[in-house]
């Protein structure tokens, strides 16, 4: 078994690029997606083969872009647990409510998945230094994996980001720049650094491999549901990469014949203080317009305009999904309910997904008896200051 990596393909114009050369956006400006030889992958990626593989995200080797898996940059990315929330589920009227709990990953968030694959592949392609903007958690994860890889990391984040994220970056030896603004302002600084110093641009969706790491959430979910995918998957969308990744993963599994053609309905949750994708979805538009004065305690989803918004929206339309915004008050309330009923200290972004499940059940958009998965993208421990205040 080896990677079935084939080529890179533009998500808009389908132009084809060599996967073994450094590539960022397509000439048309859209993100590139990784494509695999799925016929080849199907020969070795079988249920039986998986039974004897290590319980980490690397078990899906054929659908990951590393040419040499043994040289991967890893901090031990165990498969994350799928936890049934019986008590919260009963209160919400969703008996089969599950949380995919990403808090157990290195650096405490699902960002480790994208960083593990993104940094591994950057190293494989000979990258020595990268720059990236972040709302905090991604920067912390990429800094940690860069340290492990011996690659220089230049991270730019809003001054309002979690303090722990700054500490994580400096602890990992990254060069940290704070910007008095939002993630888009951080992105402009990164663009300058990339142009001036020739750093590898590791901005969300400007390199094609982070999404491949995040997609392993979808691969794990399918396997954890014994290849009978759930009815609904609810995701806290900032850049939306995790949702795009899970959607891509399930299509790949369909092509491999590992799951049936039925897709879960994908739901993108945003905060009322920053909901560009929700507004676009309500208007049935294919792209979002930039959000003014974005603000929410769920920092990870404070993204006024996502480069991959059209891919998120396409996944919602295709699967009969939905997008909705919840208030900070609502998500903080739900966060403490989940803590008190289930013993799980989930992050505000994760809490937003539970708040969304509650609303969608009240509106009967989720039917009784449906199997619903919410994604807790990280540990609440990082946010103790937010919760206190
Ligand atoms: C905890 C947490 N949840 C969700 C997100 C949003 O991730 P995505 O870019 O995949 O939408 C982030 C991004 O910073 C995050 O840190």
């Amino acid at each position: 078994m080896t990677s079935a990596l084939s080529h890179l393909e533009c998500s808009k114009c389908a132009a084809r690029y060599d996967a073994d050369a450094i590539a960022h956006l397509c000439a048309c400006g859209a993100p590139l997606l990784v494509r695999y030889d799925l016929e080849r992958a199907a020969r070795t990626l079988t249920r039986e083969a998986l039974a004897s593989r290590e319980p980490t995200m690397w078990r899906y080797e054929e659908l990951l872009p590393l040419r040499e898996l043994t040289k991967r940059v890893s901090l031990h990315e165990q498969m994350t647990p799928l936890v049934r929330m019986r008590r919260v589920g009963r209160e919400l009227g969703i008996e089969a409510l599950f949380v995919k709990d990403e808090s157990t990953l290195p650096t405490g968030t699902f960002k480790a998945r994208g960083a593990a694959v993104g940094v591994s592949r950057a190293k494989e392609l000979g990258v020595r230094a990268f720059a990236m903007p972040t709302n905090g958690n991604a920067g912390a994860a990429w800094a940690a994996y860069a340290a492990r890889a011996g690659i220089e990391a230049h991270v730019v984040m809003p001054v309002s980001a979690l303090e722990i994220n700054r500490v994580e970056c400096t602890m990992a030896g990254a060069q940290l720049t704070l910007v008095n603004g939002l993630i888009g302002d951080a992105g402009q600084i990164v663009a300058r650094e990339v142009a001036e110093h020739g750093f590898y641009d590791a901005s969300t969706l400007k390199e094609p491999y982070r999404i491949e790491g995040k997609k392993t959430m979808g691969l794990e979910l399918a396997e954890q549901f014994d290849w009978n995918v759930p009815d609904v998957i609810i995701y806290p969308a900032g850049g939306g990469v995790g949702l795009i990744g899970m959607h891509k993963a399930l299509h790949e599994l369909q092509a491999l014949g590992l799951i049936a053609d039925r897709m879960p309905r994908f739901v993108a949750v945003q905060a009322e203080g920053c909901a560009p994708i929700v507004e676009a979805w309500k208007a049935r538009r294919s792209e979002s317009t930039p959000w003014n004065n974005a603000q929410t305690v769920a920092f990870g989803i404070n993204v006024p305009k996502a480069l991959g918004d059209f891919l998120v929206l396409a996944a919602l339309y295709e699967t009969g999904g939905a997008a909705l915004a919840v208030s900070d008050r609502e998500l903080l309330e739900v966060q403490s309910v989940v803590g008190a009923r289930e013993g799980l200290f989930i992050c505000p972004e994760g809490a937003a997904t539970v708040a969304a499940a509650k609303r969608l059940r009240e509106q009967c958009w989720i039917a009784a008896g449906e199997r619903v998965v919410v994604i807790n993208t990280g540990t609440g421990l990082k946010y103790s200051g937010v919760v206190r205040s």
Side-chain angles (χ1 to χ4, degrees):
M1 54 166 180
T2 50
S3 170
L5 175 62
S6 163
H7 61 278
L8 303 174
E9 185 185 87
C10 176
S11 54
K12 271 202 176 144
C13 72
R16 209 180 151 107
Y17 290 80
D18 179 3
D20 289 311
I22 289 180
H24 293 287
L25 297 176
C26 176
C28 81
L32 298 176
L33 297 174
V34 179
R35 296 296 179 210
Y36 298 88
D37 177 346
L38 295 172
E39 262 177 45
R40 202 182 108 201
R43 276 182 236 134
T44 50
L45 187 55
T46 60
R47 296 178 193 192
E48 298 70 38
L50 280 169
S52 60
R53 293 190 189 176
E54 63 172 25
T56 73
M57 58 177 259
W58 305 102
R59 63 202 267 105
Y60 311 104
E61 178 177 353
E62 291 86 343
L63 296 181
L64 289 173
L66 291 192
R67 293 287 185 204
E68 281 192 76
L69 194 69
T70 52
K71 292 194 184 155
R72 67 185 180 261
V73 183
S74 172
L75 291 163
H76 299 282
E77 301 73 26
Q78 297 291 322
M79 291 175 81
T80 59
L82 183 66
V83 182
R84 183 132 186 203
M85 295 204 287
R86 286 186 197 280
R87 298 181 69 195
V88 170
R90 215 169 293 136
E91 281 177 30
L92 265 47
I94 307 172
E95 285 296 323
L97 179 64
F98 299 85
V99 57
K100 175 94 173 132
D101 187 9
E102 298 284 296
S103 66
T104 58
L105 284 164
T107 72
T109 74
F110 79 126
K111 297 286 180 179
R113 294 181 189 271
V117 174
V119 172
S120 291
R121 187 68 181 139
K123 185 165 182 168
E124 203 165 60
L125 291 170
V127 170
R128 309 282 289 273
F130 66 75
M132 65 183 298
T134 176
N135 269 340
N137 287 324
W142 279 70
Y145 284 88
R148 188 93 174 157
I151 292 180
E152 210 176 284
H154 296 260
V155 177
V156 187
M157 74 171 73
V159 71
S160 56
L162 295 176
E163 199 188 331
I164 185 66
N165 290 148
R166 293 186 205 172
V167 178
E168 289 177 280
C169 287
T170 40
M171 192 58 82
Q175 296 294 315
L176 177 64
T177 305
L178 297 176
V179 55
N180 195 3
L182 297 177
I183 190 165
D185 305 297
Q188 283 174 15
I189 294 178
V190 166
R192 274 206 302 277
E193 287 188 345
V194 166
E196 278 169 25
H197 306 292
F199 297 148
Y200 178 77
D201 191 345
S203 309
T204 303
L205 290 175
K206 288 193 183 165
E207 62 76 52
Y209 299 108
R210 172 194 307 221
I211 182 174
E212 295 304 295
K214 288 191 177 183
K215 108 184 160 184
T216 57
M217 276 188 296
L219 300 174
E220 287 181 21
L221 270 177
E223 195 177 357
Q224 287 169 320
F225 275 98
D226 205 15
W227 310 107
N228 180 12
V229 297
D231 299 295
V232 177
I233 296 179
I234 310 182
Y235 181 77
V241 182
L243 191 150
I244 302 166
M246 285 189 283
H247 179 250
K248 180 175 189 285
L250 296 185
H251 273 300
E252 287 170 357
L253 291 180
Q254 286 178 344
L256 260 54
L258 281 169
I259 60 172
D261 279 346
R262 190 181 64 83
M263 271 275 165
R265 308 197 303 282
F266 278 96
V267 177
V269 187
Q270 300 198 295
E272 280 179 0
C274 181
I277 290 176
V278 177
E279 287 306 308
W281 179 79
K282 281 192 200 154
R284 294 289 295 180
R285 285 200 308 267
S286 57
E287 283 187 23
S288 65
T289 43
W291 191 269
N292 288 326
N293 304 319
Q295 206 181 5
T296 167
V297 294
F299 297 112
I301 53 176
N302 202 26
V303 180
K305 167 74 180 162
L307 185 60
D309 54 0
F310 69 101
L311 293 169
V312 176
L313 287 158
L316 303 185
Y317 298 136
E318 181 213 298
T319 63
L324 75 161
V326 298
S327 69
D328 281 1
R329 176 179 290 273
E330 241 176 313
L331 67 88
L332 288 172
E333 256 170 42
V334 165
Q335 186 186 32
S336 55
V337 169
V338 172
R341 304 280 191 282
E342 306 287 353
L344 296 168
F345 189 2
I346 62 177
C347 64
E349 295 83 353
T353 65
V354 185
K358 181 169 184 280
R359 280 244 217 115
L360 291 170
R361 179 68 191 108
E362 282 163 4
Q363 295 164 5
C364 294
W365 190 90
I366 291 174
E370 286 197 305
R371 292 167 307 145
V372 177
V373 176
V374 296
I375 311 287
N376 175 41
T377 40
T379 172
L381 293 174
K382 284 190 164 186
Y383 298 73
S384 57
V386 173
V387 178
R388 255 202 315 276
S389 63

